[in-house]
Amino acid sequence: MKKLMLLGDEAIAQGALDAGLSGAYGYPGTPSTEIVEYIQRNREAIERNVHRTWSANEKTAMEEALGMSYAGKRVIATMKHVGLNVAADPYMNSALTGANGGVIVAVADDPSMHSSQNEQDSRYYAKFALMPALEPSNQQEAYEMPFMAYEISEKYHLPVMIRLTTRLAHSRAGIKRREVLNENDLQKPENPNQFMLLPAYARKKYKHLLAIQKELVKESENSPFNKYMKGEDKSLGIIACGLGFNYLMENFEAGKCPYPILKIGQYPLPGKQIEKIINECKNILVVEEGMPLVEEMLNGFLGNKKVKGRLNGTIPRDGELNPQIIRRALNLPELPSLAIPEIVTGRPPALCVGCPHIDTYKALNEVLKPYGKGHVFSDIGCYTLGFLPPYKAIDTCVDMGASVSMAVGAADAGLFPAVAAIGDSTFGHSGITPLLDAVISKSNIVVIIMDNDIIAMTGMQDSQVTGRIEDICMGVGVEKEHIRIINPLSRHHEENVKVIKEELNYNGVSVIIPRRPCIHVYAKRKKKS
Amino acid sequence: MKKDIILAGVGGQGILSIAAIIGYAAMENGLNLKQAEVHGMSQRGGDVQSHLRISDKEIYSDLIPQGGADLIISVEPMEALRYMPYLSQNGWFITNTTPFVNIPNYPDTEELMNEVKAIPNHVAINADQIAKDIGANRSMNIVMLGAASLFLDIPYEKLEEGIKFVFGRKGEEVLDANLKAMKAGKDFAEENKI
Ligand SMILES: Cc1ncc(C[n+]2csc(CCOP(=O)(O)OP(=O)(O)O)c2C)c(N)n1
Ligand code: SF4
């Protein structure tokens, strides 16, 4: 069969589809977005009517996935690493309820923060929840792992994490497909109490979760994704997790490494093989993409001089790996290479020429000029680029929805003006509940919901609140006369300034909705259809 | 056979189409391929690059090691220079000369071109102008692909098939413009290769 050229993200999607997927639930977030996008345009998925619309946020996605599992079907929840923070409550608890139909939680981490606020490592969440995790080293494994994940998930009635990182998520290679499995039939859980976490039940479930850990270790010891590879030179043994394996092998001609290697692709760690490599080798190098999870485990509190990696400086403590970093860690001579000429300057991302957010910020800046800097709480999306010159229009960016909640807190403390600047999709994700708080506490804030008709930052997905923003605000209790729509175009600048001024001077909750589509909406919609 | 290629440019300039065409041609030739792309924040007018690796052996890393690239193909001159650390000692440096100025402190273009000319194996080509001259304004990236085609060790016809694969659905006119653009880039490079 002809190979399919797929991104790591797409390989997971195709693998899940071929392993009998009935529904994908997720919220966009680089580098995880292409998992659901692939399912959305995949012909077989459309024919099978696999669920594939975006959820409001990662928490709702994770819960919807659990619901589908309750009904007996195989499901995948997808998100970026910080999305798992949002979904952490259902995620952690799903380790106790377990799964009925197989559940995959696919999380894409972004070491080096190419498009993220932090570089947390989701394997810690898997360990925290006592849940098995799979970590592919290449696209073929990314394709194969959903099959294994559903098998384990249904055997142990436990969700399984698949963790990948930016470079694999966004790198293409050829994939060989397997035989397609049928979807599960609709079937409620055999045990009617399975999804009931009243304390008396939860305690039992927790004990059960603890008890099966030994079996999960055994699964890892027998897993095809954990491989012990012999080597002559026992002065060093290398434990290479996920993508780290590739960067390691890149440095040896024809993949011939002189040292024993333990390649890790399935967690919890395979105890037997870990013990073997530690006993067999004089020193241990741990190569892992992300944070030093395995290294910390091997080190313990007292430390282990044998173990080298990110903690002792053999590999940098932060940032993503690459072949050079591993070369240095192995004390191999560096390839000769030139420096970047001094003349080259940085080219940071910027708002597009003609972007509606620009006109919104110009009007806002004019209104806020008399008050000085430090009054605009913002959020995550294209509009965060309004922090950069020449606009310098916003002051904060923390996590999805924090613009509204931080403005509430600051206003409650007496800061005036307190403005929240949030995108339409971010508002749908996590801005509605803090707006309710604002209404309840009658906070003196202006919330600017920048409605560009789309989720632009992550590559033009449909926004869940399009056409519903005013209704949502009214439903939450914002007064109708303080929900104002403006058209962010330079020819409406004076009017827009006037509206923002009026609402700033209203002592209470105001919502202003600058409404104009992102300039790429039409082109992208056309391309996608 | 091994070709490690860095594709460089600014978000929106079309380097992923170049990658898709080379990738298609390489696959059709039975070669292994890995292609790392940039998605996300940088696509908003920031610097973007793609690591394209082609080999008849197993390819491990998705990223090309520094000092390992056989080719840098860039649709923008400053972006080409940004990836100098990746160029191998015998590698070729193929760049468009038309700057894409979307930052206030863009360097002096003459000084920039002096840096380019100092590189022993370079091809500098005004791909924007060539695309305009042949009436294929939007195919600057494919002119660059044409210039690079001399260094790819992939039969030219396979690249043409790649263009058909990528642009075929967009109609005859777009397809012809791109085929013409690739040819123009190739002709230029043949005349100006040092
Ligand atoms: C918890 C979490 N989920 C997802 C993301 C990824 N993300 C960043 S911005 C964004 C959407 C922004 O859309 P919108 O608010 O409509 O603004 P726009 O980019 O369209 O201006 C997403 C999904 C994130 N940073 N954090
Ligand atoms: S993609 Fe759209 S929303 Fe984002 S900066 Fe460009 S025009 Fe603005």
Side-chain angles (χ1 to χ4, degrees), chain A residues 5 34 170-172 347 456, chain B residues 37 39 44 62 79 100:
Chain A
M5 276 297 289
E34 294 79 1
H170 290 164
S171 171
R172 279 175 209 285
R347 195 189 302 259
Chain B
E37 306 176 352
H39 292 206
R44 300 276 156 273
D62 297 82
E79 293 312 320
F100 187 94

Side-chain angles (χ1 to χ4, degrees), chain A residues 27-30 58 80 82-83 86 117 357 380-383 400 422-427 429 450 452 454-458 463:
Chain A
Y27 183 73
T30 315
E58 295 84 354
K80 69 183 291 175
V82 288
V86 176
Q117 321 98 283
H357 299 329
I380 309 184
C382 280
Y383 52 93
M400 301 279 281
I422 187 169
D424 53 294
S425 181
T426 309
F427 176 68
H429 179 290
M450 292 175 272
N452 61 352
I454 203 112
I455 313 183
M457 174 101 279
T458 44
S463 168

Side-chain angles (χ1 to χ4, degrees), chain A residues 143-158:
Chain A
Y143 172 78
E144 306 276 345
M145 280 180 173
F147 289 85
M148 169 73 97
Y150 285 136
E151 213 181 288
I152 297 176
S153 180
E154 288 176 5
K155 179 168 170 193
Y156 293 94
H157 296 292
L158 199 57

Side-chain angles (χ1 to χ4, degrees), chain A residues 2 5 34 115 139 170-172 246-247 249-250 324 335 337-338 340 343 345 347 349-350 382 456, chain B residues 27-28 33-35 37 39 41 44 46-47 53 60-62 65-66 76 79 82 84-85 100 102:
Chain A
K2 213 168 153 171
M5 276 297 289
E34 294 79 1
S115 299
Q139 291 78 354
H170 290 164
S171 171
R172 279 175 209 285
N246 293 355
Y247 296 134
M249 298 311 274
E250 181 67 28
Q324 301 81 269
L335 298 176
S337 94
L338 301 163
I340 302 177
I343 192 167
T345 60
R347 195 189 302 259
C382 280
Chain B
M27 286 273 283
E28 289 292 297
L33 179 93
K34 272 196 178 172
Q35 183 212 328
E37 306 176 352
H39 292 206
M41 193 124 183
R44 300 276 156 273
D47 56 280
R53 314 195 70 186
Y60 286 101
S61 170
D62 297 82
Q66 290 198 356
E76 208 280 344
E79 293 312 320
R82 192 185 304 283
M84 280 299 283
F100 187 94
N102 64 344

Side-chain angles (χ1 to χ4, degrees), chain B residues 136-172:
Chain B
N137 276 355
R138 299 183 56 192
S139 303
M140 170 278 282
N141 56 339
I142 305 303
V143 174
M144 289 311 303
L145 169 61
S149 67
L150 302 183
F151 306 90
L152 289 173
D153 291 342
I154 291 176
Y156 189 75
E157 310 77 66
K158 288 274 183 238
L159 293 172
E160 287 181 322
E161 282 170 31
I163 288 194
K164 284 177 199 147
F165 173 72
V166 171
F167 295 108
R169 276 170 305 167
K170 297 195 173 165
E172 198 93 342

